């Protein structure tokens, strides 16, 4: 187990390093710089600006400098927001996106697990059909269709919510629901499939035979094995929720890191782009690592591979 | 001296009963799945409409009528017009060409890379396989949608680049599936026979192994198309994909979402068509999986 974890950690670190390097050089080889959009920058000022941010040094030197400060946790100054560092901007925006992500994940798990379990236990009844149709619909209708439609119906016609913004608790409902439902759908399908496979097995019959209640059979015996597919989906799901928040933050005008990332790419704000990419990559890899380890813990077959 | 013996009665040949080929068998099973048949029909209608429809229409996708502005559905414009007076039905059909085209082209890129990569890794095995699959593992953990976004922002939202970028993201799972299948099949006797006959490696892989992996490949390809179309629409929705005045379903949905307060049909029709298409593809993929009896093994 220890060997398994160390090798996975090393692999993630290597991947993270690749992401940093690839992104660093990719944004530098792109035409246009952070100061090209600003009008009337005289060559002298441009030179001063570049000297100030170290852009006049050779590229490899900049790269090494960046890695050096990154090792100290410093993501550098923003090029577009004078006097602000990337660390400050990220610290400012991340809590918003984190709240949205966690709420959505909660919605996804509660709805997905409940529907999936009900569908499996009441197989081939109307409950199963309703839950399975929900799964298919949720997979096929993208968030950027569901989101605006819900806004249209619940915010504009019914007037229950604000159409956009991120102020009171009521403003959390629609965004979290839209993003959560998108992932509740696959989770419910995986739960149903996983449980159905397990419920046929002998040890379930044994549990029933010794008189365990159906509730106990499902929650204690079946779910542990039945949830394996769900656990392995959680890594991609969380990554998807992170990138899905780009769309949700755009629709609902939420001041999160997703919108900031897209703006920074448009603005050629080198350090902010790099900072957000590193943040996302590190987060996604860390989550995948947790998922891998959980999976190995739940299923010995995985770690023996 | 010996009289020729009477001719032996010819053995009565019974008419040979023709067995069903596995493909025919799968087709019969698929036909019983109502949702899959519905998906196939809906896809056929949508594709035909998008390919042929624009030839029959009186308006161009970029043809504006500013005096008319946004007209409600009905009358000369069946699905209404957008705020610039452009016919929504025409824009939907042209948008469909782009969205379906991106879906097919990018899936083809992903299919080609994934199958060749997976087949090589699976057939040769050993160290080569270990290195190749470790690479896939590492690539899996990279935040690709973020790279695609960066590519689109930096390199000017070029539709060819969009194909390549999406295709380059989506081949990983295909490679894993093909590798697993190839590893199982290469141990079988008919492959040993092929090798004993002195066939070359390339011929064994492409003529003898891959045709037997076709089932999973078809199923996964069908399920990749909606994923790819979703990614294209996602990028277009963020303003990074197809650029106006050209239309794609993602562009139309973005436009509709901005104007839905007054002109709800601009969101509802594109949203419905796009969702219905994804629906159909998912149903068809699911149906094919059952019909071809492919285990849903992603690892």
């Amino acid at each position: 187990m220890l060997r398994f974890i160390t090798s996975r950690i090393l692999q993630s670190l290597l991947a993270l390093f690749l992401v940093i390097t690839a992104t660093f050089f990719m944004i530098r080889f792109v035409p246009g710089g952070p100061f090209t959009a600003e009008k009337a920058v005289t060559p002298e000022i441009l030179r001063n600006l570049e000297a100030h941010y170290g852009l006049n040094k050779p590229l490899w030197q900049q790269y090494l400098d960046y890695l050096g400060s990154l090792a100290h946790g410093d993501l550098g100054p923003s090029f577009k927001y004078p006097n602000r560092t990337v660390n400050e901007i990220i610290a400012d925006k991340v809590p918003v996106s984190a709240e949205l992500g966690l709420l959505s994940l909660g919605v996804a798990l509660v709805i997905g697990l409940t529907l999936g379990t009900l569908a499996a236990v009441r197989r081939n009844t109307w409950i199963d059909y309703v839950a399975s149709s929900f799964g298919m619909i949720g997979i096929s209708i993208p968030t950027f269709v569901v989101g605006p439609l819900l806004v249209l119906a619940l915010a504009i016609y019914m007037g229950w919510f604000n159409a956009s913004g991120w102020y009171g608790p009521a403003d959390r409902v629609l965004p979290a629901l839209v993003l959560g439902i998108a992932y509740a759908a696959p989770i419910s399908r995986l739960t149903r499939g996983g449980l159905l496979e397990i419920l046929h097995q002998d040890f379930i019959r044994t549990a029933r035979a010794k008189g365990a209640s159906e509730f106990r059979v499902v929650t204690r015996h079946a779910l542990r094995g039945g949830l394996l597919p769900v656990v392995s989906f959680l890594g991609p799901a969380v990554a998807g929720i992170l990138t899905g928040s780009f769309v949700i933050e755009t629709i609902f005008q939420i001041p999160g890191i997703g919108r900031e990332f897209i703006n920074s790419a448009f603005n050629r704000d080198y350090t902010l782009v790099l900072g957000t990419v590193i943040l996302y990559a590190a987060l996604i890899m860390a989550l995948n690592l947790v998922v891998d380890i959980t999976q190995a813990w739940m299923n010995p077959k995985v770690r023996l591979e | 001296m010996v009289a020729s013996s009477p001719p032996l009665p010819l053995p009565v040949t019974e008419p040979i009963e023709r067995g069903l080929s596995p493909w025919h068998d799968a087709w019969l099973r698929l036909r019983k799945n109502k949702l899959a048949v519905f998906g196939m029909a809906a896809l056929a209608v949508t594709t035909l409409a998008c390919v042929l429809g624009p030839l029959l229409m009186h308006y161009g996708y970029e043809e504006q009528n500013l005096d008319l502005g946004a007209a409600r559905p009905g009358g000369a414009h069946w699905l209404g017009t957008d705020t610039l007076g452009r016919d929504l039905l025409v824009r939907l059909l042209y948008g469909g060409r782009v969205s379906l085209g991106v879906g097919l082209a990018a899936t083809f890129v992903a299919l080609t890379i994934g199958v060749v990569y997976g087949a090589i890794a699976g057939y040769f095995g050993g160290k080569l396989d270990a290195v190749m699959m470790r690479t896939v593992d590492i690539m899996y953990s990279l935040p690709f949608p973020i790279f695609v976004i960066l590519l689109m922002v930096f390199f000017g939202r070029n539709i060819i680049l969009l194909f390549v970028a999406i295709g380059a993201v989506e081949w990983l799972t295909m490679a894993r599936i093909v590798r697993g299948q190839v590893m199982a099949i290469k141990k079988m006797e008919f492959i040993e026979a092929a090798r004993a006959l002195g066939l070359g490696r390339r011929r064994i892989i492409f003529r003898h192994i891959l045709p037997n992996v076709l089932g999973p490949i078809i199923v996964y390809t069908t399920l990749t198309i909606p994923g790819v179309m979703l990614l294209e629409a996602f990028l277009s929705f963020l303003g990074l994909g197809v650029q106006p005045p050209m239309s794609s379903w993602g562009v139309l949905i973005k436009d509709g979402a901005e104007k839905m307060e007054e002109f709800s049909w601009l969101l509802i029709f594109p949203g419905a068509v796009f969702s219905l298409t994804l629906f159909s593809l998912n149903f068809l993929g699911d149906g094919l999986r059952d019909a071809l009896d492919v285990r849903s093994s992603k690892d």
Side-chain angles (χ1 to χ4, degrees):
Chain A
M1 191 69 184
L2 193 65
R3 229 188 103 195
F4 173 83
I5 296 177
T6 357
S7 90
R8 282 301 153 94
I9 290 179
L10 286 178
Q11 197 177 313
S12 305
L13 286 179
L14 175 66
L16 189 60
F17 176 73
L18 286 178
V19 168
I20 297 171
T21 310
T23 317
F24 184 91
F25 287 102
M26 185 168 88
I27 53 182
R28 293 312 167 93
F29 285 123
V30 163
F35 309 115
T36 41
E38 263 146 75
K39 45 186 177 177
V41 177
T42 61
E44 291 81 37
I45 295 179
L46 188 64
R47 258 199 301 281
N48 281 340
L49 276 171
E50 288 188 337
H52 176 70
Y53 290 112
L55 291 175
N56 52 351
K57 293 186 198 162
L59 198 56
W60 60 267
Q61 182 74 50
Q62 292 180 38
Y63 175 65
L64 291 182
D65 286 351
Y66 186 81
L67 286 186
S69 54
L70 184 65
H72 297 98
D74 178 10
L75 295 168
S78 162
F79 290 118
K80 276 288 165 172
Y81 300 97
N83 306 324
R84 295 201 69 186
T85 65
V86 173
N87 293 45
E88 281 168 12
I89 296 174
I90 286 181
D92 206 28
K93 305 279 180 181
V94 158
V96 175
S97 297
E99 190 187 342
L100 173 63
L102 285 177
L103 285 173
S104 312
L105 190 63
V107 170
L109 283 175
V110 170
I111 298 182
L113 290 180
T114 314
L115 281 183
T117 312
L118 281 177
V121 175
R122 298 267 175 271
R123 191 183 185 185
N124 292 334
T125 64
W126 64 270
I127 299 179
D128 184 16
Y129 298 138
V130 169
S132 300
S133 326
F134 166 80
M136 208 59 191
I137 292 171
I139 286 178
S140 300
I141 306 185
T143 49
F144 45 86
V145 175
V146 176
L149 281 179
L150 279 184
V151 170
L152 191 64
L154 301 183
I156 293 171
Y157 289 155
M158 308 299 289
W160 293 347
F161 302 100
N162 293 326
S164 63
W166 189 255
Y167 306 103
D171 292 334
R172 270 68 169 167
V173 176
L174 280 182
L177 205 60
V178 173
L179 194 50
I181 285 177
Y183 291 91
I187 289 179
S188 78
R189 278 165 63 99
L190 290 171
T191 310
R192 178 179 180 274
L195 270 183
L196 281 182
E197 214 158 280
I198 295 282
L199 284 173
H200 283 304
Q201 292 186 8
D202 289 344
F203 74 93
I204 296 294
R205 204 175 43 197
T206 311
R208 283 204 182 111
K210 72 179 190 194
S213 71
E214 191 61 26
F215 182 77
R216 197 183 154 85
V217 168
V218 171
T219 51
R220 286 296 303 256
H221 298 275
L223 273 179
R224 177 167 165 174
L227 286 189
L228 264 177
V230 179
V231 171
S232 51
F233 174 70
L234 279 185
V238 173
I241 285 180
L242 285 174
T243 42
S245 71
F246 298 165
V247 166
I248 301 293
E249 286 173 18
T250 308
I251 295 175
F252 294 96
Q253 295 178 16
I254 299 169
I257 195 76
R259 268 171 87 202
E260 199 60 52
F261 165 68
I262 294 183
N263 288 337
S264 70
F266 275 117
N267 289 334
R268 303 280 191 276
D269 194 337
Y270 293 152
T271 43
L272 192 49
V273 172
L274 260 174
T276 33
V277 170
I278 293 172
L279 177 77
Y280 278 122
L283 212 55
I284 291 174
M285 285 170 196
L287 285 164
N288 277 328
L289 199 65
V290 173
V291 166
D292 280 352
I293 293 172
T294 320
Q295 237 182 335
W297 171 70
M298 284 172 81
N299 182 3
K301 257 195 267 174
V302 176
R303 66 174 173 255
L304 289 177
E305 252 175 32
Chain B
M1 52 155 223
V2 179
S4 60
S5 55
L8 285 168
L10 282 169
V12 181
T13 52
E14 292 196 13
I16 299 169
E17 195 177 326
R18 293 203 48 181
L20 293 177
S21 79
W23 294 107
H24 193 107
D25 210 30
W27 167 244
L28 291 182
R29 262 191 305 243
L30 184 65
R31 242 180 22 189
K32 274 194 211 132
N33 184 333
K34 286 195 193 97
L35 286 173
V37 172
F38 165 78
M40 247 187 307
L43 282 175
V45 171
T46 316
T47 314
L48 270 181
C50 290
V51 173
L52 301 178
L55 307 175
L56 308 173
M57 306 301 286
H58 309 298
Y59 313 99
Y61 65 87
E62 78 293 38
E63 203 176 306
Q64 303 185 359
N65 184 346
L66 292 174
D67 296 335
L68 180 65
R72 292 190 160 279
H77 301 279
W78 292 354
L79 299 185
T81 55
D82 67 6
T83 44
L84 299 174
R86 294 178 293 195
D87 186 89
L88 183 58
L89 178 58
V90 170
R91 288 184 63 72
L92 260 180
L93 294 176
Y94 273 100
R97 285 185 174 184
V98 174
S99 294
L100 292 169
V102 170
L104 289 177
T107 304
F108 183 74
V109 173
L111 177 74
T112 315
I113 304 179
V115 169
V116 172
Y117 194 95
I120 291 177
Y123 185 79
F124 291 101
K127 280 219 179 78
L128 182 70
D129 174 49
V131 171
M132 286 174 87
M133 293 327 280
R134 199 56 14 156
T135 315
V136 168
D137 283 349
I138 290 177
M139 292 183 76
Y140 246 110
S141 60
L142 300 182
F144 268 113
I146 291 173
F147 276 132
V148 176
I149 288 175
L150 285 182
L151 271 180
M152 287 297 129
V153 175
F154 293 151
F155 295 100
R157 300 156 226 172
N158 169 332
I159 198 165
I160 303 290
L161 191 67
L162 191 64
F163 289 147
V164 177
I166 298 179
V169 176
E170 298 281 340
W171 63 272
L172 297 169
T173 310
M174 181 64 89
R176 278 192 179 175
I177 291 174
V178 171
R179 167 186 173 265
Q181 296 282 328
V182 168
M183 282 176 71
I185 289 177
K186 77 169 179 193
K187 295 192 193 108
M188 293 186 178
E189 278 137 8
F190 73 97
I191 297 301
E192 211 170 307
R195 217 174 283 139
L197 284 171
L199 298 187
R201 280 189 201 130
R202 191 180 302 167
R203 199 176 155 89
I204 292 181
I205 293 179
F206 287 98
R207 290 297 302 274
H208 296 267
I209 295 184
L210 280 184
N212 287 292
V213 190
L214 222 47
I217 293 178
I218 291 175
V219 170
Y220 190 68
T221 304
T222 322
L223 293 173
T224 303
I225 299 174
V228 169
M229 290 178 64
L230 209 53
L231 194 50
E232 181 273 324
F234 166 78
L235 290 170
S236 295
F237 186 84
L238 293 175
L240 300 172
V242 176
Q243 295 299 299
M246 195 57 227
S247 93
S248 85
W249 288 342
V251 170
L252 293 177
I253 291 170
K254 172 190 166 62
D255 198 45
E258 281 163 7
K259 290 158 189 159
M260 65 184 178
E261 259 179 80
E262 297 145 275
F263 316 115
S264 54
W265 63 91
L266 289 181
L267 171 65
I268 290 172
F269 289 121
V273 171
F274 185 56
S275 305
L276 187 71
T277 306
L278 294 185
F279 233 19
S280 309
L281 281 163
N282 282 326
F283 279 140
L284 182 59
D286 264 21
L288 281 171
R289 173 166 27 214
D290 294 341
L292 294 170
D293 194 23
V294 174
R295 300 237 164 262
S296 56
S297 62
K298 281 203 167 171
D299 41 18

